[in-house]
Amino acid sequence: MIVYHASCTAVPQPDLLHSKQNAGFGRGFYTTQILEQAFNWSHKFKRRGKDAVVSSYVFDEEGLQELKVLSFDSYTE
C-alpha cells in the first residue's frame, strides 16, 4: 500500500527519532492512505510560513503485526 506523510521538509524514510512527544495520539510517525488528507494537513506548515511537503512510502502491510498501530476507518476533520 502507498501511505503519505505531511511535513515541512522531505522525509526520505519514516523517522521516529524526530517525532514529537505531544502529538495528537502520542509519539509516532503519522501517515495516511488518503493523498488529499496529507495535502490538507500540509497546509498547517504553509500557514506557519514554512514549506509544505508530502512524502510517500510503499508500506508492506505484513509489517503491521510488528508495530503498534492506531487506525481509523475514515477521514474526518
Side-chain angles (χ1 to χ4, degrees):
M1 98 174 69
I2 305 294
V3 294
Y4 305 96
H5 174 78
S7 182
C8 61
T9 185
V11 180
Q13 60 186 9
D15 178 5
L16 290 173
L17 294 176
H18 294 96
S19 64
K20 296 179 182 176
Q21 291 271 143
N22 60 349
F25 296 100
R27 188 174 195 135
F29 191 79
Y30 291 74
T31 63
T32 179
Q33 293 179 31
I34 306 167
L35 181 58
E36 179 184 10
Q37 182 181 22
F39 277 118
N40 289 343
W41 187 252
S42 74
H43 291 301
K44 80 173 190 164
F45 298 105
K46 287 184 179 181
R47 288 191 298 271
R48 296 177 186 168
K50 298 180 180 183
D51 290 335
V53 179
V54 174
S55 299
S56 64
Y57 314 95
V58 175
F59 180 73
D60 180 355
E61 294 178 65
E62 290 181 18
L64 289 172
Q65 298 171 15
E66 300 173 22
L67 301 171
K68 182 178 178 184
V69 176
L70 181 59
S71 182
F72 298 94
D73 294 328
S74 63
Y75 170 39
T76 64
E77 294 298 321

